[in-house]
Amino acid sequence: MTFYAQSVLCRCKMLLEYFGEAVEWDRCGVCDNCERPVVAVTREPAPSKPAAWADLARGERVSVPRYGRGIVDAAAGDRVTVSFPNGEPRGFLRPYVSRVSRRH
């Protein structure tokens, strides 16, 4: 089903062949994929993340919504592992982790 939904091939041909009918044509000219063929689109690569994404160091105090405060165990790329007071480490994406100011 996923292949059918994501395919750019003729949907009529895919269905007929799935049910064992041999067809000699490639395009029916009626289905959505035949009426609006997909054109290759090129995009510029996404800009790299700013250096601030890797700004947390092991041992730093942080806060994570819904989990509270903890200590950074590791930070690599956009992933941060935080240990909480109960000793349980959890992994998060960097945008969800906030540095706790030293005076708190």
Side-chain angles (χ1 to χ4, degrees), residues 1-15 25-40:
M1 194 66 189
T2 301
F3 175 74
Y4 177 82
Q6 295 177 348
S7 178
V8 295
L9 301 174
C10 173
R11 294 192 196 280
C12 294
K13 180 175 178 153
M14 282 192 294
L15 285 172
W25 39 268
D26 287 328
R27 297 258 178 222
C28 68
V30 179
C31 73
D32 62 324
N33 285 342
C34 290
E35 285 187 339
R36 292 182 308 278
V38 175
V39 178

Side-chain angles (χ1 to χ4, degrees), residues 43-57:
R43 286 191 290 168
E44 293 293 322
S48 60
K49 302 282 185 209
W53 283 71
D55 64 342
L56 296 174

Side-chain angles (χ1 to χ4, degrees), residues 15-82:
L15 285 172
L16 290 170
E17 288 179 346
Y18 178 82
F19 289 108
E21 276 197 51
V23 294
E24 297 182 16
W25 39 268
D26 287 328
R27 297 258 178 222
C28 68
V30 179
C31 73
D32 62 324
N33 285 342
C34 290
E35 285 187 339
R36 292 182 308 278
V38 175
V39 178
V41 176
T42 57
R43 286 191 290 168
E44 293 293 322
S48 60
K49 302 282 185 209
W53 283 71
D55 64 342
L56 296 174
R58 183 179 168 91
E60 252 186 287
R61 293 179 186 191
V62 294
S63 178
V64 181
R66 204 171 135 201
Y67 291 95
R69 294 183 179 195
I71 307 276
V72 174
D73 277 344
D78 66 345
R79 300 284 303 169
V80 180
T81 303
V82 178

Side-chain angles (χ1 to χ4, degrees), residues 76-98:
D78 66 345
R79 300 284 303 169
V80 180
T81 303
V82 178
S83 282
F84 294 95
N86 66 0
E88 183 180 0
R90 289 186 173 268
F92 300 95
L93 290 175
R94 175 60 182 93
Y96 295 100
V97 181
S98 301

